[in-house]
Amino acid sequence: MVGKEIYDFTCRLFPINRYLMGEGVRKTLLSIKEIIPEMQICEVPSGTKVFDWTVPLEWKVREAYIENERKERIIDFKKNNLHVVAYSNAIDEWMPLKKLKEYIHTDKEHADSVPYVTSYYNDHIGMCMSERQLNALPEGNYHLYIDSEKVKGSLTYGEIIFKGDTDDELLFHSVICHPSLANDELSGVTLAAFLAREIREMRGHRYTYRFVFVPETIGAITYLAKNLFYLKEHVKAGYILSCEGDNRAYSYLATIKGNSLADRMAIKVLSELHSDYTKYSFLDRGSDERQYNSVGIDIPVCLVCRSKAGEFPEYHTSNDNLDFVCPEGFQGSFEVFMSIIKLFEKNRSYRTKVLCEPQLGRRGLYSNVSFSGSKTPYKVIVDFLAYANGDNDLIAISDILDVPWERLNEIAEILLEQNLIEEM
């Protein structure tokens, strides 16, 4: 089962210290490259201007901990990489508990979990622990130690492109800058790797498939700055992959317009496979769909996931761990996106080639006809022909007739053989 493979790969990558830039990102990309050798890894130097932003310095952290007067480590970055605020400045200082608390971040709503906190673009010193652990600390002196530095480096991103018969593209985008958070971030990365592996094995696909692995926000902005004109011309639909590994209900977040091909394919597949999914407006956006849908970029990218980021209690805490994701969750997400890929390949607009209804009886199509083991009534055929006007694609006709798109695709193939319709 591919879900088990994705889960195992997630377990392998989970301990890696991924942040906005640095060796953790590179190590993760090299691991993906073992599965997909076609992966291209690109580096963009610190200081590079990308639209209104500048690629920041690279952060390196070697050690971070808090110890008590008996030299016992209360928390240690090496045991849980969420314990240090991402991009924290260095410090080596003994201090009383009252002052120590000024540097500590907790999550009061989830008292037993360690929160994930970042300070990418501001000078800050901080570490994270559970609210319960902080409240249990006795009075005394504590050693706060963070051995870190910000240096000129580079933003690293990965790109996989599988060319099809046309240059029209389906884009998959995942973010690769979070530390040990299994569902938020990492599950999208590992799912993308195995979707790419599946595409690599496909033969004769009409469309081109692009997989992008970048740090959130600055990575998407950098990637768009380098590739905007080509992407605007060729990307017909795209999806953010994130929060794909839990086994809860599905979620869909629309593009800014809400009616793009990406939206329509997501709604069609989820409606047929998991009708209990939750729909979110673009006003609920939170990840890199912000960048793709922004004014002047206008690339139709939406989000299909399991539990949506920010909507599950484990989000951005140490409870988003390997116990929260599972093979079954990954398997379901894999199947949803493979269905979207299949729909992308098969979706066409057709036009009827005869005036009035054709004589179906002499073609053997008047009575019930079996398609893949199911009976398709004659009326579905004539209804399909009625709406095959050159403007309606399979998704639209499926919506109108309330018939699964795959069944209509079977009808379309037979009608093409009979020369009763033509592809637009």
Side-chain angles (χ1 to χ4, degrees):
M1 185 173 71
V2 68
K4 179 63 164 57
E5 291 185 87
I6 301 172
Y7 177 79
D8 289 344
F9 191 49
T10 303
C11 293
R12 174 183 163 188
L13 301 186
F14 183 76
I16 297 175
N17 299 318
R18 281 173 298 274
Y19 299 104
L20 202 63
M21 298 156 57
E23 291 306 312
V25 171
R26 297 184 188 101
K27 184 176 181 180
T28 301
L29 290 174
L30 288 173
S31 297
I32 297 171
K33 193 173 176 67
E34 293 176 16
I35 298 175
I36 310 294
E38 294 86 349
M39 161 90 77
Q40 297 296 313
I41 298 177
C42 305
E43 304 278 356
V44 181
S46 297
T48 302
K49 287 288 293 180
V50 286
F51 298 141
D52 196 44
W53 293 62
T54 301
V55 175
L57 296 173
E58 191 172 313
W59 184 62
K60 296 184 177 182
V61 56
R62 288 169 286 271
E63 196 166 22
Y65 59 83
I66 297 173
E67 62 181 359
N68 61 23
E69 293 170 335
R70 297 187 298 275
K71 300 291 185 178
E72 297 169 336
R73 294 196 177 182
I74 307 302
I75 58 174
D76 191 341
F77 157 77
K78 291 182 178 179
K79 292 184 177 180
N80 184 337
N81 54 27
L82 298 180
H83 277 314
V84 62
V85 172
Y87 269 62
S88 173
N89 290 339
I91 189 172
D92 181 2
E93 184 178 336
W94 283 89
M95 62 189 71
L97 178 61
K98 182 178 179 180
K99 184 177 180 181
L100 177 69
K101 289 182 176 181
E102 298 175 6
Y103 296 96
I104 302 301
H105 298 266
T106 66
D107 184 342
K108 290 181 170 57
E109 291 186 10
H110 305 98
D112 292 313
S113 64
V114 179
Y116 167 52
V117 181
T118 67
S119 183
Y120 290 140
Y121 303 104
N122 298 297
D123 283 333
H124 181 74
I125 297 173
M127 295 194 71
C128 304
M129 66 171 65
S130 73
E131 176 74 7
R132 196 175 306 281
Q133 183 181 19
L134 179 63
N135 290 338
L137 291 180
E139 293 295 333
N141 289 317
Y142 292 87
H143 183 201
L144 173 58
Y145 182 80
I146 302 174
D147 180 10
S148 66
E149 62 178 335
K150 298 172 185 176
V151 299
K152 286 186 176 181
S154 60
L155 181 151
T156 312
Y157 69 84
E159 179 184 66
I160 303 168
I161 300 174
F162 293 114
K163 298 292 291 184
D165 296 334
T166 76
D167 290 332
D168 290 344
E169 292 188 4
L170 183 61
L171 168 75
F172 292 103
H173 175 107
S174 57
V175 298
I176 197 165
C177 58
H178 291 36
S180 295
L181 298 172
N183 201 40
D184 179 51
E185 191 257 356
L186 186 55
S187 67
V189 172
T190 54
L191 175 63
F194 281 84
L195 286 173
R197 188 186 72 171
E198 194 75 10
I199 295 295
R200 185 183 60 191
E201 301 304 316
M202 287 174 58
R203 294 294 179 263
H205 49 87
R206 171 176 288 203
Y207 297 107
T208 294
Y209 294 86
R210 181 184 298 260
F211 293 83
V212 178
F213 304 83
V214 299
E216 196 168 23
T217 305
I218 184 62
I221 291 170
T222 299
Y223 190 77
L224 286 166
K226 292 172 66 67
N227 300 283
L228 178 59
F229 296 111
Y230 188 89
L231 295 177
K232 280 177 70 74
E233 181 178 357
H234 295 290
V235 172
K236 303 306 175 186
Y239 297 93
I240 304 295
L241 298 182
S242 178
C243 302
E244 307 291 350
D246 69 86
N247 205 19
R248 297 172 183 168
Y250 289 85
S251 303
Y252 150 69
L253 186 144
T255 66
I256 192 167
K257 294 181 178 179
N259 62 353
S260 72
L261 179 59
D263 295 291
R264 296 172 64 234
M265 290 195 299
I267 292 170
K268 175 54 58 179
V269 167
L270 288 175
S271 296
E272 292 186 0
L273 297 181
H274 303 282
S275 59
D276 61 340
Y277 74 94
T278 300
K279 180 178 179 179
Y280 292 92
S281 159
F282 185 71
L283 295 174
D284 299 309
R285 65 196 181 278
S287 187
D288 283 337
E289 66 273 8
R290 309 188 319 272
Q291 314 311 329
Y292 285 102
N293 287 276
S294 61
V295 176
I297 302 295
D298 303 314
I299 297 174
V301 173
C302 65
L303 174 68
V304 174
C305 60
R306 306 297 293 248
S307 300
K308 178 185 171 295
E311 300 295 328
F312 56 95
E314 298 85 355
Y315 177 71
H316 277 197
T317 76
S318 55
N319 290 332
D320 185 358
N321 54 41
L322 294 172
D323 293 330
F324 182 45
V325 297
C326 61
E328 294 77 16
F330 281 116
Q331 183 70 31
S333 294
F334 179 84
E335 291 172 359
V336 163
F337 281 105
M338 287 307 302
S339 295
I340 289 174
I341 289 167
K342 184 177 181 181
L343 177 55
F344 186 61
E345 285 286 320
K346 296 294 185 180
N347 190 46
R348 308 275 192 277
S349 295
Y350 298 101
R351 183 169 59 194
T352 303
K353 295 179 67 175
V354 297
L355 299 178
C356 297
E357 288 186 4
Q359 220 292 343
L360 297 180
R362 65 184 174 85
R363 296 176 171 88
L365 299 177
Y366 185 79
S367 60
N368 286 353
V369 183
S370 175
F371 300 99
S372 296
S374 62
K375 293 293 184 181
T376 302
Y378 156 81
K379 188 175 185 303
V380 178
I381 298 176
V382 295
D383 285 347
F384 180 95
L385 289 167
Y387 286 96
N389 60 7
D391 294 324
N392 292 323
D393 58 11
L394 275 182
I395 299 173
I397 298 176
S398 173
D399 289 340
I400 294 167
L401 303 187
D402 194 24
V403 174
W405 76 265
E406 288 190 89
R407 184 178 297 183
L408 294 183
N409 181 63
E410 293 174 346
I411 291 174
E413 290 176 354
I414 289 177
L415 295 178
L416 283 169
E417 291 176 2
Q418 296 289 337
N419 201 31
L420 292 175
I421 60 174
E422 61 185 349
E423 182 182 324
M424 301 306 295

